[in-house]
Amino acid sequence: MWKEGSIKVHDSIIRYWVKCYEKSSKFGIDNGRISKLMLKRKGEIVANYDRGWDIEPVDEDAEIALSILLLEYN
């Protein structure tokens, strides 16, 4: 199931797209439920996961957004 939205971290608005499943998977982030994830700030990709990291979070704000999404969906 796809989820999308935005998260405000400090002065950044980070848009997210997450594909998560009901059950954990070896393909998920930390073997969890999120198999695909994209984070964008001002149109630039700041993290991308597609059954593996294509772009790891580029800075602290992206890391914080990822942490929030892991708590909610993973």
Side-chain angles (χ1 to χ4, degrees):
M1 175 184 304
W2 282 98
K3 309 281 187 179
E4 67 177 276
S6 60
I7 298 172
K8 182 169 180 168
V9 178
H10 300 121
D11 293 330
S12 297
I13 301 294
I14 299 179
R15 297 269 309 145
Y16 68 85
W17 294 264
V18 171
K19 186 174 188 178
C20 61
Y21 293 97
E22 294 292 322
K23 296 183 181 180
S24 298
S25 167
K26 67 180 181 177
F27 298 112
I29 298 175
D30 297 332
N31 293 316
R33 296 174 37 223
I34 298 173
S35 66
K36 296 183 181 195
L37 167 135
M38 181 184 292
L39 302 179
K40 283 187 171 184
R41 178 181 45 227
K42 296 182 181 177
E44 180 183 335
I45 297 172
V46 294
N48 193 67
Y49 184 91
D50 187 350
R51 298 182 178 186
W53 286 107
D54 301 312
I55 302 171
E56 293 198 28
V58 298
D59 58 21
E60 181 183 2
D61 288 355
E63 286 277 354
I64 291 169
L66 173 62
S67 295
I68 292 167
L69 293 169
L70 288 174
L71 285 173
E72 187 167 345
Y73 297 115
N74 215 33

